Amino acid sequence: MESTPGAAALNALLEDPTVEELWINAPGRVFVARDGVSELTTVVLSGTEVRDLVERLLRTSGRRVDLSHPLVDAMLADGSRLHVVIPDITREHWSINIRRFVVHARTLSDLVGLGVLTQQAARFLDSAVVAGLNLVVAGGTQSGKTTFLNALLGSVPAHERIVSCEEVFEIRLDAPDWVAMQTRDAGLEGTGEIPLRRLVREALRMRPTRLVVGEVRQAEALDLLVAMNSGMPSMSTLHANSAREAITKLCTLPLLAGDNISADFVVPTVAGCVDVVIHLATDAHGRRGVREIAAVSGRVESGVVEVGDVFVDRGAGLERGRALVPHAERFARHGIDVHRLLETARAA
């Protein structure tokens, strides 16, 4: 970018390690978020500087934004996620979001140190990953879902082969046997699009022992359920306000796959495939944390999947709930007595 006062101030924000996200609503409306709290900065840009910024950031991403493609989602060289929307989708100005990954928590123990969850809950989730349970991480925007998913993947045994599917690369692993794939938009000729549904189907042909879908938003939820139902240990994230709402959403999204998919198939499949749901939330001060860890019993009553709390935060931190964990035999195969583990957590 040209060396102007506005550009220099913007570059300083982009290089500030405390900035979690930066967004531009208009050339004179530049915001940042620190520790989950947003603030309006004093940075003022010109329209040309905003467009130059986008051009510079997209240069190495292989993606573009123009009148024929007025929205773009891309990963930057430093791992940040860029989202841009231009007029006439927006009313007047270019809208830009740059989401950075400030906290590099690679393990559940790292998250315990950050106060996201308790040591007892972390031990249980670590065991659940080792045992091959199907896990879903739910929460609102900026609640830390991807960071938590990364930490869960840190518990996957080193000998396993992980295949991940995402709209934009966000997952970061040190696993020795890991293949990462992302979607691709259609080219100038309108061909070449690779949607998330296809990636999930292709992943199953790549001999994975663990499937990861970065986030389910639409009909790809059906392909995730089919993978889980085939015995493939899987993990994913989705937006939801609670663990129970996450299950309800998983019962609804697959219906988008076509008229031949019915709730009579989807609801019992969700009940039989999804094992544990972790719900994250951000408090009024921007602190992220686990609000509940729920187990899916496998039972359906009057069309509703039964869900119980394994750990729940009722205002004083996570504490042991009353729900039993399904598939104790899977834990036992790895030498884990899950009932004793949870009783120890209750005593603590």
Side-chain angles (χ1 to χ4, degrees):
M1 291 177 64
E2 185 179 341
S3 181
T4 64
L10 184 64
N11 283 330
L13 290 175
L14 292 173
E15 295 171 1
D16 185 344
T18 67
V19 172
E20 300 169 349
E21 187 166 1
L22 180 148
W23 60 98
I24 302 173
N25 295 343
R29 306 287 289 181
V30 180
F31 294 80
V32 296
R34 292 184 174 91
D35 296 324
V37 180
S38 64
E39 59 184 84
L40 175 64
T41 71
T42 58
V43 175
V44 176
L45 304 170
S46 67
T48 300
E49 287 173 329
V50 172
R51 291 189 289 274
D52 287 346
L53 170 67
V54 173
E55 181 180 347
R56 177 168 63 93
L57 294 176
L58 286 177
R59 194 170 295 152
T60 59
S61 72
R63 303 199 175 192
R64 74 183 197 279
V65 62
D66 52 37
L67 291 177
S68 62
H69 291 79
L71 303 96
V72 67
D73 206 14
M75 189 189 74
L76 305 181
D78 66 351
S80 300
R81 184 168 181 170
L82 171 70
H83 185 263
V84 181
V85 187
I86 67 173
D88 58 355
I89 301 303
T90 56
R91 180 184 293 274
E92 182 178 359
H93 302 290
W94 287 36
S95 173
I96 303 169
N97 283 72
I98 302 173
R99 183 182 299 180
R100 304 174 63 196
F101 298 96
V102 177
V103 177
H104 300 289
R106 297 185 178 275
T107 66
L108 291 169
S109 295
D110 292 339
L111 293 179
V112 171
L114 294 169
V116 175
L117 76 168
T118 63
Q119 184 66 56
Q120 293 77 20
R123 288 197 194 100
F124 164 69
L125 291 176
D126 178 78
S127 300
V129 173
V130 172
L133 268 61
N134 294 318
L135 309 178
V136 174
V137 181
T141 302
Q142 283 291 297
S143 60
K145 298 185 297 298
T146 302
T147 298
F148 202 94
L149 181 62
N150 270 294
L152 287 172
L153 289 168
S155 296
V156 175
H159 66 271
E160 292 202 26
R161 175 171 170 80
I162 302 170
V163 179
S164 61
C165 310
E166 304 174 83
E167 288 187 348
V168 175
F169 290 130
E170 290 186 291
I171 294 172
R172 301 177 183 181
L173 298 179
D174 292 326
D177 193 355
W178 169 45
V179 176
M181 299 188 291
Q182 72 172 0
T183 61
R184 187 175 70 189
D185 296 334
L188 289 171
E189 301 81 11
T191 60
E193 180 185 10
I194 306 294
L196 192 55
R197 291 198 67 185
R198 181 174 177 184
L199 290 185
V200 176
R201 293 195 295 268
E202 295 295 329
L204 296 177
R205 301 186 176 107
M206 299 170 67
R207 202 181 180 274
T209 59
R210 191 83 56 156
L211 174 67
V212 183
V213 181
E215 183 173 348
V216 289
R217 300 173 184 266
Q218 301 182 53
E220 63 271 1
L222 174 64
D223 303 282
L224 175 66
L225 289 179
V226 170
M228 290 179 172
N229 197 33
S230 68
M232 174 64 60
S234 305
M235 300 183 196
S236 185
T237 73
L238 83 165
H239 284 85
N241 293 322
S242 69
R244 286 160 181 79
E245 289 189 24
I247 291 297
T248 300
K249 194 168 185 178
L250 278 175
C251 291
T252 304
L253 290 178
L255 303 180
L256 300 174
D259 295 336
N260 60 326
I261 306 299
S262 69
D264 292 337
F265 164 75
V266 173
V267 173
T269 301
V270 170
C273 295
V274 180
D275 299 315
V276 175
V277 181
I278 304 104
H279 178 249
L280 305 167
T282 305
D283 65 18
H285 303 288
R287 292 189 294 265
R288 302 173 178 87
V290 175
R291 295 295 177 261
E292 57 181 324
I293 300 173
V296 181
S297 68
R299 293 187 291 272
V300 178
E301 294 290 341
S302 301
V304 178
V305 178
E306 185 177 286
V307 179
D309 292 324
V310 181
F311 290 90
V312 61
D313 185 351
R314 296 186 175 91
L318 282 177
E319 57 187 47
R320 175 73 172 99
R322 296 184 177 183
L324 297 176
V325 178
H327 307 300
E329 72 282 357
R330 297 187 194 174
F331 290 88
R333 291 189 199 123
H334 296 270
I336 302 169
D337 186 339
V338 66
H339 298 303
R340 177 175 295 181
L341 185 153
L342 290 174
E343 283 306 312
T344 302
R346 189 188 302 278

